[in-house]
Amino acid sequence: MGATSSALVMLFALFFIERLEFICSRTNSNVSCIASEREALMKFKGNLTNESNRLSSGVGKDCCTWKGVGCSKKIGHVVKLDLHNPIPDAYPNPEVNKLGGQISPSLLDLNHLHYLDLSMNDIQISNSLGSLKSLRYLDLSWSIFEATIPHNLGNLSRLQYLNLSNNDLSGPILDTLGRFTSLTVLDLSQNSFNDSMLYSLCNLSSLVHIDLSVNSHGGAIPHCLGNLASLSILRLSDTDLQSPIPSEMGNLTQLTMLDLSGNGFEGEIPNSMRNLCNLRVLDLSNNKFTGKLSTSVGSPFGCIHNSLEDLSLFSNKLSGRLPNHLGEFKNLERLIIGMNSFYGSYIQLEKGPSEEATLRSCYGFS
Ligand SMILES: *[C@@H]1O[C@H](CO)[C@@H](O)[C@H](O)[C@H]1NC(C)=O
Ligand SMILES: *[C@@H]1O[C@H](CO)[C@@H](O)[C@H](O)[C@H]1NC(C)=O
Ligand SMILES: *[C@@H]1O[C@H](CO)[C@@H](O)[C@H](O)[C@H]1NC(C)=O
Ligand SMILES: *[C@@H]1O[C@H](CO)[C@@H](O)[C@H](O)[C@H]1NC(C)=O
Ligand SMILES: *[C@@H]1O[C@H](CO)[C@@H](O)[C@H](O)[C@H]1NC(C)=O
Ligand SMILES: *[C@@H]1O[C@H](CO)[C@@H](O)[C@H](O)[C@H]1NC(C)=O
Ligand SMILES: *[C@@H]1O[C@H](CO)[C@@H](O)[C@H](O)[C@H]1NC(C)=O
Ligand SMILES: CC(=O)N[C@H]1CO[C@H](CO)[C@@H](O)[C@@H]1O
């Protein structure tokens, strides 16, 4: 549990520090904008359409006080641009808050930019993005108007947070993923990536959160994924993955959430997964897993019994008698086991230490 907390603390620290620095810089009237950076921002703004009140200048010429701009208190440089669309579903016209247009190369004059959030807009991304070498946080979710990704994005080797979700992307970013050695959070979900990229993540040991769900990666989970010792959240649902799960998944002891649903996984659920002592949510539904529960997650040994809160095995080819010791899952609140070939009348689930911690719903018993 302690180790999980530290992974989560790392994750939150990343956001919190960014935010804190932003607030400090915004409220400190002494930080004033560097002239060349003001010029760059003006050009950048000039190439955007519908900039709807973002980057609006406050009082005077100090660009550090502009909405969405953050400067470092220490060095005075612009370090943050947060231009996410605050009202993505504006009624009646959802387009009205979206930034449009192109990213101007003038952005490169912001040498110290480490935070860029352009999410929920309609922006044309250019290659200049790959030259913003100081970037640590990049959010382009729901934002890329033309579905291409700069080929040189891999040059952003300091990135800690990368979110490209919901862009209908397919393309060569995959070749360069392995260069993001500082990456903590990677979200490529809801795109059309069609090659197996998991292998290239194996050396990225800082990863805490991976979401590749809803793509067409295909292939298998590589054994080396078990190297990602800090991984807490792994979402791989609906990605056309196949083959058995490697037993090295049991090495990911910091996992709190594992979603492998909606794929073609087969074979037995590996015994080693009993060792996932921090796993709270396990979704293996809609796959082709076979074998008996008693030899896998349902085994009476291993600490997964203490942590699991939500378990779905719905729609697999699991069989055999439902093991009595299912009742030993102390914190299980939801269990979905329908569409399998289990037998056994019913399971007595033990009450947990408090009412909240007892099983709330249980589907699939025939
Ligand atoms: C940005 O705007 C300038 C001035 O209007 C124009 O010359 C330039 O072509 C634009 N660049 C892009 C990338 O749109
Ligand atoms: C810009 O906003 C106006 C409404 O203010 C809208 O009619 C127009 O479609 C938007 N243009 C783009 C490119 O989003
Ligand atoms: C980006 O990386 C490529 C190698 O993949 C290199 O050729 C190029 O010069 C780099 N670009 C910048 C701006 O550093
Ligand atoms: C990525 O962006 C989407 C949409 O903005 C958001 O819902 C999601 O939480 C982000 N992912 C991560 C891991 O932060
Ligand atoms: C992936 O998609 C591209 C087009 O975007 C296509 O050329 C390529 O053949 C596809 N690869 C696979 C393995 O399906
Ligand atoms: C991981 O690192 C090792 C040692 O540096 C290297 O041999 C291997 O090719 C790397 N794997 C990937 C997938 O990049
Ligand atoms: C990883 O898992 C494999 C297979 O379960 C096991 O043999 C190996 O000892 C584990 N490695 C570590 C570092 O825990
Ligand atoms: C160096 C500098 O500009 N210091 C100013 C910071 O802001 C306060 C008031 O907000 C001024 O009194 C200082 O002179």
Side-chain angles (χ1 to χ4, degrees):
M1 218 52 197
T4 308
S5 328
S6 63
L8 285 176
V9 166
M10 255 175 63
L11 190 60
F12 284 115
L14 176 64
F15 294 110
F16 192 67
I17 290 165
E18 300 284 0
R19 210 141 279 174
L20 198 66
E21 188 173 351
F22 186 40
I23 292 163
C24 294
S25 58
R26 292 270 323 257
T27 50
N28 186 336
S29 55
N30 275 14
V31 180
S32 67
C33 174
I34 290 163
S36 62
E37 295 193 338
R38 180 174 189 276
E39 194 65 19
L41 282 170
M42 290 296 285
K43 282 187 192 158
F44 176 73
K45 185 174 165 172
N47 283 111
L48 294 177
T49 57
N50 285 12
E51 49 105 7
S52 43
N53 210 26
R54 269 159 283 166
L55 277 181
S56 56
S57 37
V59 220
K61 292 182 173 178
D62 188 354
C63 71
C64 292
T65 65
W66 293 3
K67 212 171 170 180
V69 177
C71 296
S72 155
K73 218 161 113 179
K74 273 192 198 146
I75 56 175
H77 286 281
V78 173
V79 292
K80 177 160 180 170
L81 263 187
D82 182 356
L83 303 177
H84 79 274
N85 179 354
I87 320 168
D89 302 317
Y91 181 82
N93 183 359
E95 297 302 313
V96 78
N97 282 295
K98 286 186 178 174
L99 296 176
Q102 287 191 314
I103 296 213
S104 151
S106 66
L107 203 61
L108 296 184
D109 295 336
L110 304 175
N111 285 320
H112 297 267
L113 197 65
H114 70 69
Y115 186 113
L116 181 59
D117 185 347
L118 298 173
S119 59
M120 311 279 179
N121 292 299
D122 266 337
I123 289 176
Q124 278 173 276
I125 303 298
S126 69
N127 271 338
S128 43
L129 218 53
S131 303
L132 291 167
K133 291 211 182 91
S134 302
L135 273 191
R136 279 180 259 154
Y137 183 107
L138 179 59
D139 190 347
L140 298 174
S141 59
W142 294 97
S143 64
I144 304 177
F145 179 66
E146 281 188 347
T148 53
I149 255 278
H151 62 271
N152 60 354
L153 206 70
N155 290 21
L156 302 179
S157 54
R158 292 191 195 170
L159 274 188
Q160 294 168 5
Y161 178 101
L162 177 61
N163 193 341
L164 299 174
S165 70
N166 291 276
N167 282 310
D168 199 28
L169 294 166
S170 55
I173 183 182
L174 321 182
D175 306 338
T176 55
L177 266 181
R179 289 198 220 161
F180 297 126
T181 50
S182 305
L183 212 55
T184 310
V185 179
L186 175 66
D187 190 343
L188 302 177
S189 62
Q190 315 261 353
N191 282 292
S192 303
F193 291 118
N194 70 352
D195 61 350
S196 177
M197 60 169 70
L198 281 168
Y199 182 72
S200 51
L201 302 183
C202 286
N203 282 351
L204 308 184
S205 54
S206 303
L207 279 168
V208 171
H209 185 154
I210 298 175
D211 190 348
L212 305 181
S213 52
V214 195
N215 277 290
S216 309
H217 303 299
I221 294 183
H223 295 271
C224 61
L225 208 71
N227 296 348
L228 300 180
S230 305
L231 200 60
S232 172
I233 298 175
L234 180 58
R235 295 180 185 271
L236 298 173
S237 61
D238 300 298
T239 46
D240 295 342
L241 284 161
Q242 295 160 9
S243 308
I245 309 183
S247 63
E248 284 80 359
M249 286 301 272
N251 294 11
L252 298 174
T253 52
Q254 298 309 308
L255 272 188
T256 58
M257 129 70 80
L258 176 60
D259 185 355
L260 302 179
S261 62
N263 286 294
F265 288 116
E266 57 195 26
E268 296 197 358
I269 301 166
N271 256 324
S272 61
M273 287 179 69
R274 296 174 305 181
N275 302 328
L276 300 177
C277 306
N278 292 300
L279 196 64
R280 295 201 295 262
V281 182
L282 176 59
D283 191 346
L284 302 177
S285 62
N286 297 299
N287 279 292
K288 298 172 187 164
F289 287 114
T290 50
K292 297 184 170 125
L293 261 199
S294 53
T295 59
S296 53
V297 292
S299 161
F301 307 106
C303 48
I304 196 172
H305 270 130
N306 296 327
S307 58
L308 215 55
E309 294 168 7
D310 189 332
L311 172 63
S312 180
L313 302 170
F314 182 81
S315 190
N316 275 287
K317 297 173 174 174
L318 296 163
S319 60
R321 187 182 176 81
L322 279 169
N324 288 335
H325 54 257
L326 262 185
E328 289 168 26
F329 282 90
K330 293 188 177 62
N331 291 304
L332 201 63
E333 295 182 6
R334 214 167 71 110
L335 172 65
I336 308 180
I337 58 174
M339 298 286 283
N340 281 290
S341 306
F342 295 123
Y343 68 92
S345 50
Y346 89 109
I347 305 166
Q348 183 74 49
L349 286 143
E350 277 180 18
K351 289 229 178 246
S354 69
E355 278 306 305
E356 291 80 47
T358 59
L359 190 76
R360 296 235 175 77
S361 45
C362 184
Y363 307 100
F365 296 100
S366 48

